[in-house]
Amino acid sequence: MPTLYSIQYLRAFAAIAVVVFHAAHRMGLPFTIGAAGVDIFFVVSGFIMMAISDNRASSPASFLRNRVLRIAPTYWIATVVMVLGAILGLFPNLKLDPAHIAGSFLFIPVASPNSGNLWPVLVQGWTLNYEIFFYAVFALVLFLKPALRLPALALLFGLLVVGGALLQPANPLAGFYTAPVILEFVAGAAIAKAWQSGRLPSPGIGLLLVCLSIAGFAAIHLLRLEFDAWTCGPLAIMLVTGALAVEVGAKLPKFPALTYLGDSSYSIYLWHTFAISVVAEIGAALALSIPAIVLTAVVIGTMAGIAAYECLERPIQLLLKGKRSALWRLPLRNQAGRTPAQ
């Protein structure tokens, strides 16, 4: 697949929105709408998975293996940091429970001993539980012909959501996997089909969709409207569709910095809360103003994510692909089974 700058920009936008949300929340400022970055991530994820699977043949097992290797290593490292930090007393409010820790590593939602919510040790990892679930279901539909994958995916997820709405399951785990938010993955997959077949709207309509989406998010924040998948999901779908339509019409400028932020968005998402906590403590000790602390936390949180991308995520992914990293000068075996020095 060619680089889609619109997707990169949206990944960057979504990651920074989540960073601002957590920084503001940490200091008691209302910016709940920033959490809608997750809705954008889910739509983008559905788009990428469908676009890639239709352009590159892959067995279900290979697909699932590649996705786990892409998601798990960095997340597991961040989770280990959280667990060790709690053991060492660095996170005094974090309670540890063996079942909860195991569920965190296995991407299985388990009630947190801290809040009772289905949050893993690294709280923002709850979205990864949905991602892995989507990957598992998507791996199953890969057994079907490409033309049948989207209908099958829509049917399965649609039945789950309808079943959840009708049955109102008391079991938290059943409620988790029947939440309407899972339809955002299906929407992203549908956008991928429209993109591949050239059925996206014109660039002008696309720009209008982007503007309406941003206006909708702003209205939810300013008017304090209902905030859930039913309101933010459609806006995220409009945003992704519109951005892609603008790019397809060759109307999207290229910004290397935003593209890079898109590349590092996963690490930013995973690691920013560590930096935000430190900045909040230091800022309070220095009696800085709340807006100054929030701004500093956003900048430092983003920089921490970029550092994690360069020092952890990118080197790990290069090693898994059998390539060298500028940071990790390790001898890797090539396909002939010899190291480069041999």
Side-chain angles (χ1 to χ4, degrees), residues 195-266:
W195 170 72
Q196 289 169 328
S197 60
R199 289 184 284 119
L200 289 175
S202 66
I205 298 298
L207 183 59
L208 178 61
L209 289 174
V210 170
C211 293
L212 289 175
S213 174
I214 295 174
F217 285 128
I220 290 174
H221 172 65
L222 296 174
L223 301 178
R224 304 197 176 185
L225 302 176
E226 189 68 25
F227 179 94
D228 58 20
W230 293 118
T231 53
C232 291
L235 294 175
I237 294 166
M238 290 168 59
L239 184 61
V240 175
T241 303
L244 280 164
V246 172
E247 181 170 11
V248 169
K251 303 294 184 181
L252 192 68
K254 295 178 175 59
F255 300 109
L258 276 179
T259 303
Y260 179 77
L261 281 177
D263 287 334
S264 55
S265 59
Y266 180 52

Side-chain angles (χ1 to χ4, degrees), residues 72 74 82 137 145 162 168 183-184 205 229 254 259 264 275 284 323:
T74 312
M82 289 292 294
V137 175
K145 295 179 180 180
V162 170
Q168 294 290 314
L183 296 178
E184 294 171 359
I205 298 298
K254 295 178 175 59
T259 303
S264 55
K323 300 178 181 179

Side-chain angles (χ1 to χ4, degrees), residues 6 12 16 27 40 44 48 50 64 84 109 143 154 205 210 276 341:
S6 56
I16 299 304
M27 301 308 301
I40 298 172
V44 167
I48 293 175
M50 183 61 76
L64 196 55
L84 291 179
F143 283 107
I205 298 298
V210 170
I276 287 175

Side-chain angles (χ1 to χ4, degrees), residues 1 27 47 56 90 114 152 181 190 227:
M1 278 182 57
M27 301 308 301
F47 172 86
R56 184 173 63 223
L90 299 178
N114 301 278
V181 72
F227 179 94

Side-chain angles (χ1 to χ4, degrees), residues 106-124:
L106 296 174
F107 300 99
I108 299 173
V110 176
S112 169
N114 301 278
S115 64
N117 294 312
L118 295 181
W119 293 339
V121 173
L122 183 67
V123 172
Q124 58 265 40

Side-chain angles (χ1 to χ4, degrees), residues 67-78 266 316-317 320:
R67 297 319 302 166
V68 170
L69 290 177
R70 176 68 183 87
I71 293 294
T74 312
Y75 173 63
W76 285 341
I77 292 173
Y266 180 52
I316 288 172
Q317 293 304 311
L320 291 173

